[in-house]
Amino acid sequence: MAVGIFDSGLGGLTIYEAVSKRLPDVPFVYYGDNAHAPYGVRTADDIFRLTCAGVERLWDEGCDLVVLACNTASAAALKRMQETWVPEGKRVLGVFVPLIEALTERQWGDNSPPREVAVKHVALFATPATVATRAFQRELAFRAIGVDVEAQPCGGLVDAIEQGDEILAEALVRSHVEALKRRMPKPEAGILGCTHYPLLQKTFQDALGPTVTVFSQAELVAESLADYLMRRPEFAGQGKVSKFLTTGDPLAVSDRATQFLRHQITFTAA
Ligand code: DGL
């Protein structure tokens, strides 16, 4: 048994890096659906179907707990999965809530009414599908009042990352940040609401400027998973060896993963 980590492709590796550092004794099985990435331009039904297929593959690996290290799947499919599909004894968690709790200065499980928070202007960068769900704004409204969110659908960015084209990816980040700043010139916080984007965190930070605090999910999700496993240790699994599965070409995906993470990651066919 191990903890499963699911993403449409390479982005979830940013979460894997943080959770494996925070929980070095927990084995992980990573599943990247690179053959079908990007998810961010797909319909909600399509995202639901592909995500269920990936999670089922992780269950076959003995992962009773799966983290959707993908905002697009968390926003477009997770609720439907939890309500209609996840069987007794299995758990599927998303990556949205820990980020919003950090932004709204809340501890896990604090369900008190929404209140004013320090940050007032938030720039959200996410895939077109995530932006279309408005899931981020909905979750935020449960916890905070008076926060203005401007969302930028970052078309093309996941594709460029999946293809290993760093130059194009950096150019796209700069143009998406510029487009957002035309609508919200002075955000206080920038949210990288797609797990692929922290692979370009420095470019986002440079384009946004030093006064903007950039929130990315990896460490926040790692902390919240550590907390979850302390309360539910039966989901942690045994052994130490992590494993990386892809629906894409394992050699090409391993090369790109190694390029972005700057250490060797070896994928095998899912
Ligand atoms: N990395 C994913 C996310 O966090 C999915 C991106 C995509 O496949 O479009 O949204």
Side-chain angles (χ1 to χ4, degrees):
M1 195 166 115
V3 175
I5 300 188
F6 168 90
D7 184 44
S8 63
L10 298 171
L13 289 171
T14 59
I15 303 284
Y16 165 77
E17 286 283 274
V19 293
S20 60
K21 207 175 278 169
R22 176 69 182 78
L23 297 160
D25 296 328
V26 174
F28 293 96
V29 180
Y30 186 92
Y31 178 100
D33 191 11
N34 302 73
H36 302 108
Y39 280 16
V41 289
R42 292 178 179 275
T43 62
D45 278 345
D46 225 8
I47 295 166
F48 175 78
R49 184 179 55 77
L50 291 168
T51 306
C52 290
V55 170
E56 233 160 23
R57 179 70 185 82
L58 286 165
W59 285 340
D60 292 344
E61 290 290 321
C63 304
D64 288 345
L65 170 65
V66 174
V67 177
L68 296 187
C70 174
N71 290 272
T72 307
S74 301
L78 178 60
K79 196 161 175 286
R80 183 169 162 197
M81 288 169 81
Q82 287 171 334
E83 285 173 1
T84 65
W85 185 78
V86 178
E88 191 72 25
K90 313 267 192 219
R91 294 285 183 283
V92 181
L93 306 176
V95 285
F96 251 61
V97 170
L99 180 70
I100 290 171
E101 283 175 343
L103 187 72
T104 56
E105 308 150 27
R106 281 189 185 234
Q107 299 299 323
W108 182 85
D110 173 358
N111 291 324
S112 57
R115 55 179 180 253
E116 286 218 24
V117 293
V119 64
K120 300 280 180 242
H121 300 96
V122 175
L124 169 68
F125 300 93
T127 66
T130 300
V131 171
T133 65
R134 295 187 62 82
F136 181 87
Q137 287 91 328
R138 197 179 52 236
E139 290 293 337
L140 188 68
F142 289 138
R143 297 168 177 84
I145 44 176
V147 184
D148 190 10
V149 178
E150 194 60 58
Q152 176 68 23
C154 298
L157 187 49
V158 167
D159 250 334
I161 293 170
E162 286 289 317
Q163 280 155 26
D165 191 339
E166 284 190 67
I167 293 172
L168 174 61
E170 284 175 10
L172 285 168
V173 168
R174 284 191 288 270
S175 87
H176 285 302
V177 170
E178 255 171 49
L180 184 131
K181 277 181 145 180
R182 280 197 287 275
R183 305 194 304 274
M184 179 183 275
K186 284 191 172 23
E188 293 129 22
I191 302 286
L192 305 189
C194 167
T195 54
H196 280 69
Y197 302 171
L199 295 168
L200 294 153
Q201 179 141 352
K202 191 175 172 313
T203 315
F204 271 102
Q205 183 73 71
D206 290 349
L208 282 163
T211 58
V212 181
T213 306
V214 174
F215 284 77
S216 77
Q217 287 164 318
E219 277 75 28
L220 301 167
V221 170
E223 232 14 86
S224 115
L225 181 63
D227 192 63
Y228 187 88
L229 291 176
M230 219 152 67
R231 285 178 282 117
R232 307 297 307 269
E234 68 276 21
F235 284 112
Q238 279 139 20
K240 281 206 173 177
V241 185
S242 291
K243 179 167 166 181
F244 301 87
L245 303 173
T246 177
T247 55
D249 168 11
L251 271 181
V253 173
S254 302
D255 276 356
R256 277 170 227 142
T258 304
Q259 169 195 347
F260 277 110
L261 295 187
R262 311 203 195 282
H263 65 85
Q264 182 64 44
I265 298 271
T266 305
F267 277 84
T268 55

